[in-house]
């Protein structure tokens, strides 16, 4: 199965990338995966251009395709101003709607202080819930003092195990399922728009009571229900 790691680290070397690599390696101990790493630092210019032009560059397009077709994701961001970085958010903003639907995702973050650990719950988890991904229960936060200390390795192993088992349970073909969901969403949206524009069916007795002059022609039908254009109903209600 294909595991894609999205790292939003900016420095080289990066603690964000280090955590991402450890999570990917741990996941590989639970299920057989082909790992691909997407470094957002290298895509920053193309992401910005995508916002202004509406079209992704070659490297960004390949990264978006990899994420869409992945069977599972590991996403790691540094904490900026008590939330995910702008680069991290921008990447998922240009991703196609529905691309992460039903996809297993492990969320993680790094920061200089343990006080920012709740960023996982108040920022990252809601983001991926909105994108309709399946977020594993255990999220991993690594503060500066966590490296080499007890507890981090155990959290990494637990989260990786959850991701590996979830990927095994859902099986391959997540990208195909996401495509099917996107098509279904598009059909639902089109149906809703059609209903919004459609005329409203009203009981002929009620229609006659509220607008006898406006509905004279429409009530010629012998059917119990007559289709009255919504605009006509509004006009009939005006003084």
């Amino acid at each position: 199965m294909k595991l894609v790691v999205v790292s939003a680290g900016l420095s080289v070397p990066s603690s964000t990338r280090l955590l991402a690599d450890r999570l990917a390696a741990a996941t590989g101990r639970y299920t057989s995966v082909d790992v691909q790493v997407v470094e957002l630092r290298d895509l920053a210019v193309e992401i910005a251009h995508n916002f202004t032009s509406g079209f992704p560059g070659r490297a960004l397009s390949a990264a978006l395709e990899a994420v869409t077709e992945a069977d599972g994701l590991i996403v790691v961001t540094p904490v900026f101003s008590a939330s995910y970085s702008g680069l991290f958010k921008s990447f998922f903003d240009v991703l196609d709607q529905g691309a992460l639907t039903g996809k297993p995702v492990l969320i993680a973050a790094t920061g200089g202080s343990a006080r920012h650990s709740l960023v996982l719950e108040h920022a990252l988890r809601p983001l991926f819930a909105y994108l309709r991904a399946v977020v594993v229960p255990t999220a991993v936060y690594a503060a500066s003092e966590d490296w080499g200390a007890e507890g981090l390795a155990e959290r990494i192993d637990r989260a990786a195990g959850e991701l590996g088992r979830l990927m095994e349970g859902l099986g391959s073909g997540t990208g195909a399922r996401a495509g099917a969901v996107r098509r279904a969403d598009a059909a639902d949206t089109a149906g809703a728009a059609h209903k919004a524009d459609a005329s409203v069916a009203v009981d002929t007795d009620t229609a006659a009571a509220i607008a006898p002059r406006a509905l004279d022609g429409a009530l010629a039908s012998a059917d119990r229900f007559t289709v009255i254009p919504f605009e006509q109903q509004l006009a009939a209600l005006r003084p």
Side-chain angles (χ1 to χ4, degrees):
M1 287 185 289
K2 183 178 180 181
L3 174 64
V4 173
V5 179
V6 178
S7 172
L10 298 179
S11 60
V12 180
S14 164
S15 61
T16 300
R17 175 61 187 272
L18 177 59
L19 179 58
D21 288 343
R22 290 194 179 184
L23 288 166
T27 304
R29 295 195 290 269
Y30 287 92
T31 185
S32 177
V33 291
D34 178 19
V35 179
Q36 178 178 346
V37 178
V38 174
E39 281 278 12
L40 299 188
R41 180 175 60 88
D42 300 331
L43 301 173
V45 174
E46 289 195 18
I47 291 173
H49 286 170
N50 195 159
F51 278 113
T52 57
S53 69
F55 298 96
R58 182 175 301 177
L60 177 58
S61 180
L64 295 173
E65 182 178 359
V67 168
T68 301
E69 295 180 352
D71 296 299
L73 290 179
I74 294 173
V75 297
V76 191
T77 178
V79 174
F80 287 176
S81 301
S83 188
Y84 36 65
S85 72
L87 179 60
F88 181 86
K89 179 62 161 58
S90 295
F91 176 76
F92 290 100
D93 282 344
V94 300
L95 191 66
D96 287 342
Q97 184 179 5
L100 299 188
T101 299
K103 198 182 299 294
V105 176
L106 191 166
I107 57 175
T110 58
S113 168
R115 293 193 298 271
H116 290 302
S117 60
L118 286 178
V119 69
L120 294 165
E121 304 304 326
H122 72 66
L124 270 77
R125 196 177 296 275
L127 170 63
F128 289 96
Y130 173 79
L131 296 174
R132 293 183 290 182
V134 182
V135 184
V136 302
T138 300
V140 180
Y141 179 83
S144 299
E145 61 266 25
D146 288 328
W147 298 102
E150 294 183 1
L152 179 59
E154 289 75 11
R155 295 198 302 274
I156 289 175
D157 187 70
R158 183 167 64 250
E162 292 169 356
L163 178 62
R165 287 189 290 271
L166 187 56
M167 291 175 65
E168 288 282 357
L170 293 178
S172 59
T174 306
R177 289 196 299 274
V181 171
R182 288 197 299 274
R183 290 191 293 272
D185 287 346
D188 290 344
T189 301
H194 176 72
K195 290 178 182 178
D197 292 336
S199 300
V200 179
V202 298
D203 186 282
T204 53
D205 295 334
T206 302
I210 64 173
R213 286 175 297 176
L215 303 179
D216 285 343
L219 293 178
S221 170
D223 295 334
R224 171 63 176 165
F225 290 96
T226 304
V227 176
I228 308 301
F230 185 64
E231 292 81 0
Q232 188 175 350
Q233 293 181 56
L234 287 178
L237 292 173
R238 295 191 184 99

